[in-house]
Amino acid sequence: MSENVITTVSQGTGVITLDRPRALNSLSLDMVRAITHTLLAWRDDDAVQAVVVRSSSDKAFCAGGDIRFFHDLGRATPQQGSALVEDFFTEEYALNHLVHHYPKPYIAVMDGVVMGGGMGVAQAGPHSRTRIVTDRTKMAMPETNIGLFPDVGASYFLSRLPGRLGLYLGITGATIGAADALYAGLADHYVPAADLTALGEVLNAGVGAGLPAAIAAFAAPFRAAAGPSSLERDRAAIDRHFGAGSVPAIVASLQHDDSEFARATLALMAARSPLMMCVAHALQQQGAAMSMADCLRMERAAVRRTLENGQVIEGIRALVIDKDHAPRWTPPALADVTDDMVRQILAPAWPDHAHPLRHFHGAA
């Protein structure tokens, strides 16, 4: 078990508390294993009727995977530890699959930063999920900024958002707040941070399987306080531009729009990996018609290809290690990205019988 994951059970509710505040609860392999172990144990435990996942910090629910870990081990030889990066993604995606199909009410208190792998821990399937955001919530799938693509099942859950919101969020890596998360369907309830103590009393009330209904009743009066959604305001533009059919076509469409939204979006995209934006687009196009299991299998192979490509190591170097914010993307420009490059990233990395996630069942 991990020292950064605290678990308790009281009155029918199991609580998983992420406790790595200095790293904004970035997930280590030990943390992934501890969360998985706990959820597997509670899945068949009649004493646990509902699960709550939360943070010990008011700054972050979970900022994603530990990208320093990826960088340091990814540069090493397999003998020195890069095989652990492969283990991390395989086990993280197994956790994402477990969360998606969890048979008991699964409540995520997404206070503070919720990005990347944090979304994978929070976005349970529609039959079990209760996702709470606050006025401190900062949500994003920012992987194209580090030379990766939105993963942890994002090809499933982003592709199912209304209109082209998933493509917009996945390609640009834009950060959204509570109102946008509610509008997009990435959250269910809003609770002001000042009322989280009162929410804690609801979570500790011992109502078991009735916890989602109790949370809904508690949160209902706060809904309007989440404020207006910028995604709703810009929805027509998002659907128009991001429905253009390809990333180059999206950019061309935005370039013919002199609005503040178009200018801001072009600026975001200019900093992202050209290849990974195209991969993100392709993954969502395919994922929209696939099960969560198949999406995770597709993403796992794409991660393997991306690690071979080296984009993510360079992206993390520029953003986190050297902090020069000047990644040397390969290729450097969107015009240089070919369909063959994208197909290479999406190509199967193993025979079906040898895929590390081959045992996932394929139900939606």
Side-chain angles (χ1 to χ4, degrees):
M1 299 296 283
S2 170
E3 64 180 3
N4 302 125
V5 177
I6 302 167
T7 63
T8 59
V9 178
S10 177
Q11 301 189 81
T13 300
V15 179
I16 297 173
T17 302
L18 306 181
D19 186 35
R20 196 186 180 197
R22 292 185 63 183
L24 300 180
N25 291 334
S26 295
L27 295 171
S28 65
L29 181 56
D30 282 348
M31 291 172 71
V32 167
R33 289 175 172 172
I35 298 166
T36 302
H37 174 85
T38 300
L39 290 176
L40 287 172
W42 288 350
R43 184 177 60 184
D44 302 315
D45 186 347
D46 291 339
V48 178
Q49 301 172 46
V51 171
V52 175
V53 184
R54 63 189 311 172
S55 169
S56 63
S57 165
D58 60 8
K59 292 183 179 179
F61 170 77
C62 174
D66 187 343
I67 58 177
R68 284 183 176 271
F69 164 84
F70 303 155
H71 179 271
D72 293 346
L73 293 185
R75 294 185 64 194
T77 68
Q79 291 81 3
Q80 291 173 312
S82 65
L84 288 173
V85 177
E86 297 283 353
D87 289 346
F88 178 89
F89 282 105
T90 295
E91 296 187 40
E92 182 185 31
Y93 290 9
L95 171 59
N96 301 146
H97 186 263
L98 175 62
V99 167
H100 179 79
H101 290 286
Y102 210 67
K104 300 178 179 182
Y106 186 96
I107 295 94
V109 184
M110 298 188 288
D111 184 32
V113 173
V114 191
M115 296 183 178
M119 289 285 280
V121 173
Q123 297 292 330
H127 61 286
S128 63
R129 67 190 179 207
T130 297
R131 302 158 300 174
I132 301 163
V133 287
T134 77
D135 44 300
R136 294 188 296 228
T137 297
K138 296 178 181 178
M139 180 182 289
M141 293 299 292
E143 286 80 2
T144 57
N145 196 35
I146 60 164
L148 193 58
F149 53 84
D151 63 330
V152 298
S155 59
Y156 179 92
F157 63 76
L158 286 184
S159 68
R160 283 157 174 78
L161 299 188
R164 307 296 178 175
L165 294 180
L167 285 173
Y168 168 71
L169 294 172
I171 291 170
T172 68
T175 300
I176 60 174
D180 286 334
L182 291 164
Y183 175 73
L186 291 168
D188 304 298
H189 304 294
Y190 171 75
V191 175
D195 291 280
L196 286 177
T197 299
L199 173 65
E201 295 173 3
V202 175
L203 300 179
N204 296 327
V207 294
L211 191 51
I215 293 170
F218 174 81
F222 301 120
R223 183 77 179 207
S229 164
S230 60
L231 291 181
E232 183 175 14
R233 180 195 66 207
D234 297 325
R235 173 68 183 278
I238 289 170
D239 286 354
R240 182 172 75 255
H241 296 308
F242 284 81
S246 69
V247 177
I250 291 168
V251 169
S253 181
L254 287 164
Q255 288 173 336
H256 286 89
D257 182 347
D258 194 36
S259 69
E260 181 181 347
F261 166 79
R263 291 192 296 271
T265 302
L266 285 169
L268 275 177
M269 295 176 70
R272 302 327 189 209
S273 162
L275 175 58
M276 288 300 110
M277 287 194 294
C278 295
V279 168
H281 187 280
L283 286 170
Q284 283 198 46
Q285 294 291 89
Q286 294 191 31
M290 296 167 65
S291 68
M292 180 62 152
D294 286 337
C295 283
L296 287 167
R297 278 189 281 262
M298 174 175 65
E299 292 175 9
R300 182 63 188 87
V303 163
R304 173 65 175 272
R305 297 300 188 194
T306 301
L307 291 172
E308 293 171 355
N309 173 277
Q311 290 269 303
V312 67
I313 302 303
E314 170 60 13
I316 296 171
R317 178 207 65 76
L319 186 70
V320 177
I321 307 302
D322 297 337
K323 298 182 181 180
D324 58 19
H325 297 275
R328 296 181 288 273
W329 300 127
T330 306
L334 188 58
D336 299 323
V337 178
T338 67
D339 290 344
D340 281 346
M341 291 175 186
V342 176
R343 280 193 290 267
Q344 184 177 10
I345 297 292
L346 269 61
W350 306 271
D352 289 347
H353 69 269
H355 195 295
L357 306 181
R358 61 190 176 277
H359 300 303
F360 286 180
H361 57 84

